[in-house]
Amino acid sequence: MAKKALAPEELRALPMEKLEKLLKDQHVLFVFEYLRDFNGTQAAIRAGYEEASAASQAWKLLRRPEIKEYRDRKIREIFESKGITPEFIQLSCFEIYCRCMEKEPVMVWDTEAHAWVPGGEWQFDAKGALKALDQMSTILGMKRPDSGDKKPGETLEQYLSRTGGNDREF
């Protein structure tokens, strides 16, 4: 009788040694090869799968829950060994936000001085700052479940009610 497939939550709860025992040696090798360049087809070939079917084999392998869990844990191990932790990502996003918010003078050409000089206006990278804030809110779990765009025909009051915007104090 075939083994019952474990649910993703059950796989996450398994110690690494037990998770690894669920995989064939070729699957473990495939994951290690995949982590070299994130190229599934080449990883399958290097792990010993037939070249003609390597792409489809990689596609199947990368969707198997136990292989996904094993791959994700190995990636976390690599990141943590390099000091890349959730806290590091948060701090990096904050640093990027701060850099994007630094005001820079808008330079204009001074025909008398024959040089670029500050024109009295300032600019900053609003798009970069907003993207960094978006990333930080995702990492910190601050996004609302349905904070999507305003739907066609929806009034501002309906949008604020749906997204919880009426609860905000500015």
Side-chain angles (χ1 to χ4, degrees), residues 16 20 25-38 43 46-47 70-71 74 77-78:
M16 188 62 156
E20 200 165 291
D25 290 343
Q26 193 174 26
H27 295 159
V28 172
L29 180 57
F30 169 76
V31 170
F32 277 98
E33 292 297 334
Y34 180 75
L35 294 178
R36 284 177 55 188
D37 57 10
F38 294 96
R46 291 190 302 258
Y70 184 70
R71 179 203 60 204
K74 284 296 180 185
E77 280 180 16
I78 293 167

Side-chain angles (χ1 to χ4, degrees), residues 104-116:
E104 296 179 12
V106 175
M107 305 299 279
V108 295
W109 183 255
D110 184 340
T111 54
E112 292 177 13
H114 296 286
W116 291 97

Side-chain angles (χ1 to χ4, degrees), residues 2 35 39 46 53 55 71 75 80 90 102 161 165 169:
L35 294 178
N39 182 323
R46 291 190 302 258
S53 63
R71 179 203 60 204
I75 289 171
E80 287 173 4
Q90 292 168 1
E102 289 176 2
S161 175
E169 290 184 29

